[in-house]
């Protein structure tokens, strides 16, 4: 099995998603001997945001010369590396804090690199089609508030809902969320939420 583990919290040892994500990745890897793990710290080494030159190189406008500087070639190589890593993975563990109701921009920058027409999805006469199906994605969601209660709270969630939409668009139907929420609601709620998420992570091997 090939497991890709992504972290996107910049908070190091203080990060809940890093702690829970590491435990989830270890549980899944230990359950399948021979698993190879690729790890990418998107907070330590974030992919650059899509700029004009890179976009032009990725999607050249008809008749326009594609930019070919050393910097663009390096960014194209990184894009290929991220795509290959993602496409090769059987299981992807995504550490994803909620930032301003969505995901950290470092994680969004990774999504912008792997969301490539013809690689992870394509448009057909019948509509969009995902090309990266057959994987299992575990989203390790951490957030200061609570969003899994009322419809109003759920409507504010552009983090888990967004990641489900993105991976679904890529054709991935097996998306599970390991959630620690209410992390800013005092130490009692925080500790219980992290303990529950760690326990949920351990149960993932039973639901594989
Ligand atoms: C810049 C920033 C924005 C945040 N925005 C939200 C938010 O919109 N909603 C929320 O519930 N928590 C928010 N939080 C709290 C984080 O989701 C929470 O601290 C979580 O534990 C972060 O994940 P981590 O511990 O893995 O770093 C925010 C935190 C930061 C630093």
């Amino acid at each position: 099995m090939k497991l890709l583990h992504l972290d996107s919290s910049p908070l190091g040892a203080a990060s809940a998603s890093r702690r829970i994500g590491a435990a989830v990745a270890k549980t899944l890897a230990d359950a399948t001997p021979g698993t190879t793990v690729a790890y990418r710290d998107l907070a330590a080494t974030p992919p650059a945001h899509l700029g004009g030159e890179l976009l032009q190189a990725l999607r050249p406008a008809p008749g326009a010369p594609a930019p070919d500087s050393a910097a663009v070639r390096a960014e194209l190589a990184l894009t290929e590396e991220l795509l290959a890593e993602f496409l090769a993975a059987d299981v992807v563990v995504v550490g994803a804090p909620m930032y301003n109701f969505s995901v950290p921009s470092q994680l969004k920058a990774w999504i912008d690199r792997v969301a490539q027409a013809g690689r992870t999805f394509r448009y057909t006469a019948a509509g969009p089609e995902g090309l990266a199906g057959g994987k299992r994605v575990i989203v390790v969601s951490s957030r200061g508030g609570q969003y899994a209660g009322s419809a109003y709270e759920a409507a504010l969630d552009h983090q888990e809902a967004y990641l489900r939409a993105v991976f679904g668009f890529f054709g991935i139907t097996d998306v599970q969320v390991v959630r620690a929420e209410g992390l800013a609601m005092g130490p009692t709620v925080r500790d219980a939420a992290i303990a529950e998420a760690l326990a949920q992570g351990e149960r993932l091997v039973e639901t594989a």
Side-chain angles (χ1 to χ4, degrees):
M1 182 173 89
K2 287 188 175 165
L3 189 152
L4 171 62
H5 176 197
L6 304 174
D7 265 324
S8 66
S9 167
L11 290 183
S15 158
S17 63
R18 281 180 179 267
R19 180 175 162 202
I20 299 160
V24 164
K26 184 174 184 321
T27 297
L28 294 174
D30 287 353
T32 307
T35 296
T36 57
V37 179
Y39 175 71
R40 205 164 270 273
D41 189 336
L42 300 172
T45 317
H49 290 155
L50 294 179
E53 267 210 320
L54 177 56
L55 269 178
Q56 173 64 15
L58 285 167
R59 306 172 188 189
D68 189 29
S69 64
V72 165
R73 281 198 296 276
E75 292 301 334
L76 287 175
L78 173 64
T79 304
E80 281 305 315
E81 208 180 303
L82 297 177
L83 266 168
E85 216 166 56
F86 175 59
L87 289 170
D90 304 298
V91 178
V92 186
V93 176
V94 187
M98 178 184 274
Y99 273 12
N100 299 312
F101 306 110
S102 182
V103 296
S105 60
Q106 293 93 334
L107 179 54
K108 177 61 165 57
W110 177 84
I111 292 168
D112 286 344
R113 296 302 183 105
V114 297
Q116 299 293 337
R119 308 294 295 279
T120 44
F121 68 93
R122 68 180 169 191
Y123 290 110
T124 72
E129 185 189 346
L131 299 176
K135 301 181 195 309
R136 182 181 192 199
V137 172
I138 318 286
V139 172
V140 177
S141 161
S142 55
R143 42 209 201 177
Q146 292 179 336
Y147 298 87
S150 67
Y152 170 72
E153 288 167 349
L156 293 176
D157 173 11
H158 302 280
Q159 169 215 21
E160 292 178 16
Y162 170 65
L163 292 171
R164 281 187 187 280
V166 167
F167 290 116
F169 189 74
F170 294 163
I172 301 167
T173 52
D174 188 356
V175 180
Q176 288 169 284
V177 175
V178 172
R179 175 186 306 124
E181 67 174 358
L183 298 181
M185 297 172 68
T188 307
V189 177
R190 179 184 171 86
D191 291 350
I194 291 174
E196 171 50 30
L198 288 168
Q200 196 191 341
E202 280 172 22
R203 291 195 297 270
L204 284 174
V205 280
E206 298 153 22
T207 57

